[in-house]
Amino acid sequence: MNKWEENIRKVVPYVPGEQPQESGVIKLNTNENPYPPSPKVYEAHRKIEIDCYALYPDPAASELVTALEQYYGLEHGQVFVGVGSDDVLALSFLTFFNSDKPILFPDVTYSFYPVWADVYRIPYECPELDENFRIKPEDYRRENGGIVIANPNAPTSIGMKRSEVEEIISSNPDVIVIVDEAYVDFGGETVLPLLKKYENLLVVRTYSKSRSMAGARIGFAMGNKRLIQALTDVKESINSYTMTMESIRIGAASLEDEDYFQRNLRKIVETRESAKKELEKRGFAVLPSQTNFLFAAHQKAEGQYLFEELRQRKIFVRHFNGERIGNYLRITVGTDEQMKRLFEALDEILGE
Ligand code: PMP
């Protein structure tokens, strides 16, 4: 090893789901929305003039921040925006988890959490989910340097009640509790109303799933003004201009079409529930989902085998290795037509 190599920060990176470049793939592997964003988003995009690119964008992303504050009925200074919720979450880890005590998150959850903890040298511990893949709030009563909970959780798809999340927040007044609500629009119970009650709560959301805008890279955090200011200070110590002028404009435009948003959510939820039944008919155990994906294990066929067989048929789902979840597939809810193709492929593979 060269001497200079000792000074390199070594990390094991997060591995995102595949983004296939070939055509004809049914992509049910990264929890994107199968429907396009609102026509209002297209309209806002069309109006962007090319000469805007000569200038830096607004570092405060005020148009988007104000639109979000209004949409959620918050005061000015309660919203922070970033390049997808991954950016917002990474900055939140850096800003709020500065203790020598370990932060806590479940053993089965978003696999980016341990990666951010490692890259920022934050110690962590992972209380185990119970036998039904549920978070046990009482496990979060031990000493810690902060908590992050995905609600609904991923990849399990299971949501906690607001009262259960509140139990975690209220029993941890001395640390910041981050609630990652990436999937909450699909039927979870948000803790947003608790922002009035707890100043140690930060709620993180994304445009990538429910707003069909994964490619725009927009995420945001909501919390009390001191938390938002602290996040802003850290962000501005790294990069002032994270949000492009396009993402600011189209992000704000998406909030103007509530009808479209609600219809889109309803479609996904309907497809999810019918897909759950179809999977059960074919011998899968499917966890109750409050998200835009299903977490399912077949009674006989192994997860890795099904993943590979589906992949050969150009149907991409997600499979994670891991003691408790190795037999499960995480299947994004696509259109009805895409799900039909999935079931046809499964029938072929399972020899029905
Ligand atoms: N949180 C959870 C629980 C997720 O599953 C994802 C999607 N991979 C994210 C956050 C990040 O999404 P994005 O960066 O696209 O907002």
Side-chain angles (χ1 to χ4, degrees), residues 14 16-17 30-32 82-89 109-113 116 149-155 180-183 204-209 213-215 217-220 292-293 318 330:
Y14 170 75
T30 48
N31 297 343
E32 289 136 327
V83 187
S85 55
D86 282 341
D87 181 43
V88 176
L89 287 162
T109 190
Y110 187 28
S111 48
F112 225 139
Y113 300 157
W116 289 315
I149 299 281
N151 189 45
N153 197 11
D180 176 354
E181 295 192 338
Y183 299 101
V204 177
R205 297 265 188 110
T206 178
Y207 274 57
S208 298
K209 324 291 178 182
M213 289 169 75
R217 308 306 298 127
I218 304 173
F220 54 105
N292 68 335
F293 58 90
R318 194 94 201 257
R330 193 195 68 187

Side-chain angles (χ1 to χ4, degrees), residues 308-319:
E308 280 164 16
E309 288 291 321
L310 286 169
R311 199 172 185 289
Q312 276 178 23
R313 291 165 176 81
K314 285 201 172 188
I315 298 175
F316 284 31
V317 298
R318 194 94 201 257
H319 173 257

